[in-house]
Amino acid sequence: MAILVCGGAGYIGSHNVRALLDHGEEVVVLDNLWTGHRAAVPEAVKFYEGDVRDSALLDKVMASHPIEAVIHFCACSLVGESVAKPLLYFNNNVGGMQSLLEAMQRNGPAGRGLCPVDKIVFSSSAAVYGEPKHVPILEDDEKRPTNPYGESKRMMELMMHWVSRRHGIRYVSLRYFNVAGAFHDGSMGEDHRNETHLVPLILQVPLGRRDHVAIYGDDYPTKDGTCIRDYVYIEDLAAGHLLALKYLRDGGESQIFNLGSGDGYSVMEMVSAAREATGRDIPVEVAPRRAGDPARLVADSARARSVLGWQPKVTSMKDIIASAWRWHSSHPNGYPD
Ligand code: NAD
Ligand code: UDP
């Protein structure tokens, strides 16, 4: 049986493909390469360059491989862009989920039965919570997304909820907090050409790409005035997906899990950790707040820990940033495409 990884050429998807292969799984990747890279997926893996909204392509993939489960990473995922282009986000994210669930229903046990593709693990986001009333955030806390990106992720979760009840599909929705770092040997990492994430932007300073890091606001009600986030190491996140797959294989009911370390770090603490990890001076300049940034986002991941047995291993910010630095310093131009 094989696992279909949609969006497997992206940052998180490619690390998951690697983890799946290391666990002896057969993997099939589908990606339209909008933001992903062919070179991030090993040559030996069966790769379909195409769109998850292409129903005929999904039928072809599901008819050609004994797909048992889908891990769905495809999305447009830039908050600011989502405010500017909400329909792109609803079309690609929500439309992509609809297309995928329809294909699973057509090809699953209740459909043509070509393969029992009845399990899906989904990349959700802390963005579904919006501005939290309290932290750490629990899965059942209020969901009030503050931008179309977060709203699209919530709509995708709700779509899975209703479809699973009717069509015998079970799902795990993993709400990631801030994913960071690179594969431990520095051979793969984050390569977003339109980079907005803090850690790669900080590392652009020692790479010589920018002369300082902009700190988006130092007047938040936090210990040093800068925003606090919960950074989770990419390989720990990938381990969470393997556990989610096992949970579904063991017959687990559809469920939602936060994936975060449970510890919050401020932007200034991340810069300090990057100075330590790289041994370089990293100048900062305070800039205006970024619209829609909550002051503190920290996960309560007790459910993932107790139900899935998930335990993040790399929790030192210096170590997480050091892994990213190994990747960026050895691949200053990212992947070769
Ligand atoms: P990414 O952009 O690197 O990966 C997304 C991949 O999906 C890319 O390879 C892209 O080419 C592909 N894709 C997009 N639309 C597609 C479509 N219609 N058909 C086929 N392929 C398509 O992003 P990432 O940082 O790896 O994030 C992966 C997932 O995790 C996303 O769903 C994102 O919303 C979610 N997420 C990420 C973070 C984070 O910190 N990076 C946090 C929370 C949630
Ligand atoms: N941030 C910053 N400067 C940057 C990029 C990000 O100060 O150049 C801050 C941002 O305001 C947020 C935190 O770093 O508080 C993490 O931002 P990122 O975009 O990485 O993730 P998000 O929390 O938005 O998902």
Side-chain angles (χ1 to χ4, degrees):
M1 300 298 281
I3 310 298
L4 173 60
V5 182
C6 297
Y11 166 48
I12 300 173
S14 59
H15 286 77
N16 272 270
V17 167
R18 177 65 188 257
L20 287 162
L21 294 173
D22 287 349
H23 278 76
E25 300 284 355
E26 186 184 338
V27 176
V28 177
V29 171
L30 183 150
D31 198 300
N32 64 6
L33 299 182
W34 275 4
T35 51
H37 307 276
R38 179 64 186 88
V41 180
E43 275 296 324
V45 171
K46 183 67 190 168
F47 186 89
Y48 290 87
E49 182 175 345
D51 202 291
V52 75
R53 293 164 297 174
D54 180 343
S55 302
L57 176 61
L58 288 178
D59 280 348
K60 180 179 158 194
V61 172
M62 290 181 183
S64 308
H65 306 274
I67 305 294
E68 170 206 2
V70 179
I71 309 185
H72 184 33
F73 296 101
C74 301
C76 294
S77 55
L78 302 178
V79 167
E81 185 186 60
S82 81
V83 175
K85 301 177 183 172
L87 290 171
L88 169 67
Y89 277 66
F90 293 120
N91 187 315
N92 195 47
N93 298 1
V94 181
M97 176 63 91
Q98 176 164 354
S99 162
L100 191 52
L101 290 172
E102 284 170 354
M104 291 174 70
Q105 190 260 324
R106 277 196 305 279
N107 293 283
R112 290 202 295 262
L114 295 177
C115 50
V117 49
D118 61 353
K119 302 181 262 306
I120 176 167
V121 178
F122 167 59
S123 303
S124 188
S125 167
V128 302
Y129 297 111
E131 180 82 48
K133 289 214 174 89
H134 57 85
V135 291
I137 304 169
L138 285 159
E139 288 86 351
D140 294 333
D141 285 353
E142 197 173 35
K143 268 72 68 187
R144 277 178 174 266
T146 51
N147 52 65
Y149 167 65
E151 193 76 69
S152 74
K153 290 283 172 178
R154 183 62 184 143
M155 289 167 75
M156 293 159 90
E157 287 186 340
L158 293 172
M159 200 181 275
M160 289 192 300
H161 166 75
W162 292 109
V163 169
S164 68
R165 290 166 67 123
R166 177 67 186 86
H167 294 300
I169 291 169
R170 284 172 302 124
Y171 69 89
V172 164
S173 182
L174 299 174
R175 291 185 185 147
Y176 315 155
F177 280 63
N178 289 61
V179 187
F183 198 67
H184 60 274
D185 67 2
S187 63
M188 49 196 300
E190 191 165 4
D191 179 7
H192 291 132
R193 303 288 154 101
N194 181 8
E195 191 53 78
T196 61
H197 290 134
L198 179 65
V199 170
L201 286 175
I202 292 175
L203 294 178
Q204 285 184 4
V205 178
L207 277 177
R209 293 266 170 79
R210 58 179 67 229
D211 55 19
H212 70 273
V213 184
I215 306 278
Y216 297 152
D218 68 349
D219 56 352
Y220 285 94
T222 60
K223 50 192 165 189
D224 61 16
T226 66
C227 286
I228 290 182
R229 294 289 180 274
D230 180 332
Y231 295 87
V232 56
Y233 179 54
I234 183 76
E235 288 194 60
D236 284 327
L237 191 85
H241 291 71
L242 294 179
L243 290 167
L245 194 58
K246 178 177 183 311
Y247 168 84
L248 289 173
R249 281 175 170 159
D250 290 346
E253 289 297 310
S254 294
Q255 188 53 281
I256 296 176
F257 299 97
N258 285 339
L259 290 185
S261 70
D263 290 319
Y265 293 89
S266 73
V267 176
M268 273 316 299
E269 285 174 328
M270 294 302 282
V271 174
S272 299
R275 288 176 180 145
E276 271 191 70
T278 61
R280 309 285 181 89
D281 182 29
I282 301 178
V284 299
E285 276 186 19
V286 177
R289 289 184 176 198
R290 191 171 64 176
D293 266 344
R296 283 185 82 200
L297 287 177
V298 179
D300 184 322
S301 300
R303 185 187 283 172
R305 289 169 200 254
S306 67
V307 177
L308 300 179
W310 183 67
Q311 181 63 49
K313 294 196 175 81
V314 182
T315 54
S316 138
M317 294 306 110
K318 184 182 166 196
D319 291 349
I320 292 177
I321 295 174
S323 73
W325 180 236
R326 280 193 288 280
W327 153 253
H328 288 292
S329 54
S330 59
H331 301 80
N333 298 314
Y335 289 103
D337 52 357

